[in-house]
Amino acid sequence: MIEHDATMHGAVEDSHPPSSERVDKPLAPGLYLVATPIGNLEDITLRALRVLRSVDRIACEDTRQTAKLLGHFGIRTPTVSYHAHNESSRASELIEALKAGGRIAVVSDAGMPGIADPGATIASEAIAAGVPVFPIPGANAALSALIASGLTAERFAFHGFLPSREGQRRSVLESLRAHATDEATTAIFYETPHRIVSALADIVAIFGPGQRIALARELTKLHEEFLRGTAAELLATLSARPSVRGEMVLLIDGPPAAAASGAMPRTQTSSLADEVAGLIKTENLSEKDALKRVAKARGIGKSEAYRELQRSQSRKC
Ligand code: SAM
């Protein structure tokens, strides 16, 4: 087993950097996984800047994006691309340089490399090759959203992006609800602005309109926003906006099973009709307005939604 820990690189308890990185010493050979800001350029650490200045090369998800960051801080270290499409071929090339004693940093466009971004492959290959791997901590969207969400941060599960296809997204959410444990666990997802309204509609349908959730938008940026409330409330708020923009993190309170009080039975007929019923109940909307909102959230026409509502009502009779 190959181990390298804080004790081998210098004590951290007294808040000194690892001895391999003392300002008076050249940076130790190895792979440095460096977190970069997720919006606010002040969110880069002094250590990250020193590492980025000192390594031989910086492997970037997008060299043009990283050039802006490096330019801002006057860093002239050469860059090389390292992204989803060349991850394995580039990783082998970088591992050879690391084995020869190189010092390489990996950065993604924003936040922590390896978290919904490239970085994990090269880290595991470096470990397998006996190359030291150093995390250089910093900004991360999921954890920043979690700590200010108001939901439990004691236990949480990060699920990356929700699937883009509606069927797969529903399966993921259904499985989350089905596998709820008794201990409250906040579920964290990354989501895109053009899918968030339909994702919220699915949450209303699967967990019930009263499910507590939070949405963190544009973290650390000028228009940072937290929406906290029930799934139906957030669905109503976002559906009422002419457009939804920005980067976002969606958090679902746990245990999802606790939403059983307001949760819908997991049947086909529960969805559209129950979303409408949920909005009527929680938002005091007329059936017409609730139907309009659900149709918009699902990206379907009002008449199609009306037909679906009638079908499910006749099935229930
Ligand atoms: N590696 C990054 C990290 O550590 O957070 C995540 C990269 S992932 C490709 C990009 C997604 O992260 C975005 O679509 C969004 O869901 C989330 N994200 C990134 N920056 C964000 C921000 N400033 N505010 C809210 N969400 C953000």
Side-chain angles (χ1 to χ4, degrees):
M1 189 164 81
I2 304 161
E3 279 192 358
H4 53 272
D5 57 19
T7 42
M8 285 174 70
H9 288 282
V12 288
E13 295 83 10
D14 58 0
S15 83
H16 288 304
S19 59
S20 54
E21 281 177 49
R22 296 283 271 272
V23 187
D24 51 343
K25 282 188 170 185
L27 205 62
L31 179 69
Y32 293 80
L33 301 166
V34 183
T36 56
I38 55 170
N40 188 326
L41 287 180
E42 286 186 12
D43 294 334
I44 188 143
T45 68
L46 297 175
R47 188 172 172 219
L49 291 175
R50 185 162 52 78
V51 167
L52 292 176
R53 264 194 198 99
S54 312
V55 289
D56 311 319
R57 254 190 293 176
I58 305 171
C60 317
E61 185 184 5
D62 179 345
T63 49
R64 284 166 307 177
Q65 187 66 24
T66 303
K68 293 182 209 159
L69 178 78
L70 300 181
H72 182 84
F73 291 105
I75 297 172
R76 296 202 181 78
T77 309
T79 59
V80 57
S81 72
Y82 173 70
H83 46 68
H85 305 295
N86 69 0
E87 199 171 353
S88 34
S89 60
R90 191 44 66 79
S92 334
E93 182 191 324
L94 294 173
I95 295 293
E96 287 312 309
L98 287 164
K99 286 205 289 200
R103 301 161 312 165
I104 293 173
V106 170
V107 297
S108 66
D109 286 354
M112 290 207 167
I115 305 296
D117 266 338
T121 304
I122 192 163
S124 62
E125 289 190 16
I127 292 162
V131 170
V133 178
F134 306 104
I136 308 294
N140 164 254
L143 293 182
S144 305
L146 176 68
I147 58 171
S149 66
L151 304 179
T152 185
E154 256 174 54
R155 277 169 66 97
F156 60 86
F158 173 62
H159 299 269
F161 279 96
L162 266 172
S164 54
R165 288 169 190 263
E166 186 181 330
Q168 288 172 357
R169 181 176 62 222
R170 283 187 162 235
S171 306
V172 166
L173 293 171
E174 297 234 357
S175 142
L176 184 65
R177 182 167 168 249
H179 296 104
T181 61
D182 285 341
E183 293 196 68
T185 304
T186 300
I188 310 175
F189 293 96
Y190 286 159
E191 189 47 292
T192 61
H194 60 280
R195 288 199 297 260
I196 186 65
V197 173
S198 352
L200 291 178
D202 284 347
I203 293 171
V204 169
I206 292 163
F207 296 106
Q211 171 65 47
R212 272 214 315 158
I213 58 171
L215 187 74
R217 214 175 57 79
E218 295 288 84
L219 286 162
T220 79
K221 302 184 198 174
L222 189 60
H223 299 292
E224 176 176 286
E225 176 183 44
F226 274 88
L227 296 173
R228 306 175 182 93
T230 66
E233 285 165 352
L234 266 66
L235 175 61
T237 303
L238 290 192
S239 304
R241 293 186 181 177
S243 66
V244 182
R245 297 214 179 99
E247 297 191 285
M248 53 190 66
V249 182
L250 172 66
L251 304 101
I252 304 180
D253 189 26
S261 50
M264 302 298 150
R266 292 162 61 217
T267 63
Q268 271 297 350
T269 55
S270 71
S271 52
L272 186 139
D274 287 332
E275 280 169 44
V276 170
L279 284 172
I280 292 171
K281 198 168 141 204
T282 56
E283 304 276 319
N284 220 5
L285 294 183
S286 67
E287 184 180 270
K288 191 173 160 212
D289 287 344
L291 192 66
K292 221 156 93 181
R293 178 110 36 99
V294 172
K296 186 176 175 199
R298 291 174 158 243
I300 58 176
K302 273 180 285 179
S303 39
E304 189 186 336
Y306 183 66
R307 280 196 299 276
E308 170 61 31
L309 182 66
Q310 284 193 317
R311 270 199 299 275
S312 64
Q313 281 170 344
S314 63
R315 275 198 296 265
K316 279 182 183 164
C317 290

